[in-house]
């Protein structure tokens, strides 16, 4: 996933570059991932963050460090070891990657995470709370 996620009420949009850009996302290579309401959103964040941490070639610092920090943060949240406030740190890291890297991988790592954080914050906080209770 390398584009900003769209919520259910945002997906009634034509599958073309301009329409998806107007909806706040991107057509990219036209692949679609559908996430249902049973899915763990922390799990989705974890998959995205760990994928880009692995794929970063390490040439530029915001991507090399940022993707690794995002992956470690989300891994901790998924393990029930984090706090909801850490989502702010995650958002800061993503915004420090976006637009500051040598190739588009940095933006691709940051954009879906930024969109999930801004559109599903209450759901993410609730899930972090449940994960933390599960450990307690
Ligand atoms: S943004 Fe591109 S060039 Fe920079 S570290 Fe990431 S993969 Fe390498």
């Amino acid at each position: 996933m390398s584009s900003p996620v769209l919520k259910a009420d945002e997906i009634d949009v034509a599958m073309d570059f301009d329409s998806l850009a107007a909806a706040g996302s991107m057509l990219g290579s036209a692949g679609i991932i559908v996430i249902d309401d049973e899915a763990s959103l922390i799990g989705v964040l974890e998959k995205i963050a760990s994928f880009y941490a692995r794929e970063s070639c390490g040439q530029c610092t915001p991507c090399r460090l940022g993707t690794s920090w995002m992956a470690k943060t989300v891994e901790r949240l998924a393990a029930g070891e984090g706090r909801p406030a850490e989502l702010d740190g995650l958002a800061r890291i993503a915004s420090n990657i976006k637009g500051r890297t040598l190739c588009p991988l940095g933006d691709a790592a940051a954009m879906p995470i930024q969109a999930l954080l801004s559109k599903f914050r209450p759901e993410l906080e609730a899930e972090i709370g449940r994960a933390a209770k599960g450990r307690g």
Side-chain angles (χ1 to χ4, degrees):
M1 182 190 290
S2 57
S3 306
V5 65
L6 295 175
K7 295 184 83 167
D9 60 0
E10 298 172 321
I11 58 172
D12 188 11
V13 56
M15 279 282 289
D16 62 57
F17 289 100
D18 293 341
S19 302
L20 279 160
S25 189
M26 294 164 55
L27 182 60
S29 53
I32 295 176
I33 298 173
V34 178
I35 303 166
D36 74 14
D37 57 6
E38 304 273 308
S40 158
L41 289 176
I42 294 291
V44 173
L45 279 177
E46 197 176 14
K47 281 193 174 52
I48 296 168
S50 65
F51 171 79
Y52 284 106
R54 277 196 313 273
E55 290 299 308
S56 173
C57 77
Q59 196 180 347
C60 51
T61 305
C63 176
R64 182 181 67 250
L65 293 182
T67 55
S68 159
W69 289 342
M70 289 199 300
K72 284 182 182 143
T73 301
V74 178
E75 199 177 307
R76 215 176 39 254
L77 294 173
E81 295 167 358
R83 294 169 294 111
E86 288 180 63
L87 295 175
D88 294 327
L90 196 56
R92 267 196 304 278
I93 298 168
S95 73
N96 280 321
I97 296 173
K98 188 162 183 289
R100 297 189 166 132
T101 58
L102 291 173
C103 87
L105 187 135
D107 283 1
M111 288 190 300
I113 289 181
Q114 288 177 312
L116 282 162
L117 290 173
S118 70
K119 295 183 179 184
F120 293 98
R121 178 81 187 223
E123 291 87 346
L124 288 165
E125 289 188 358
E127 205 176 318
I128 292 165
R130 287 195 296 277
K133 270 196 193 131
R135 276 181 58 85

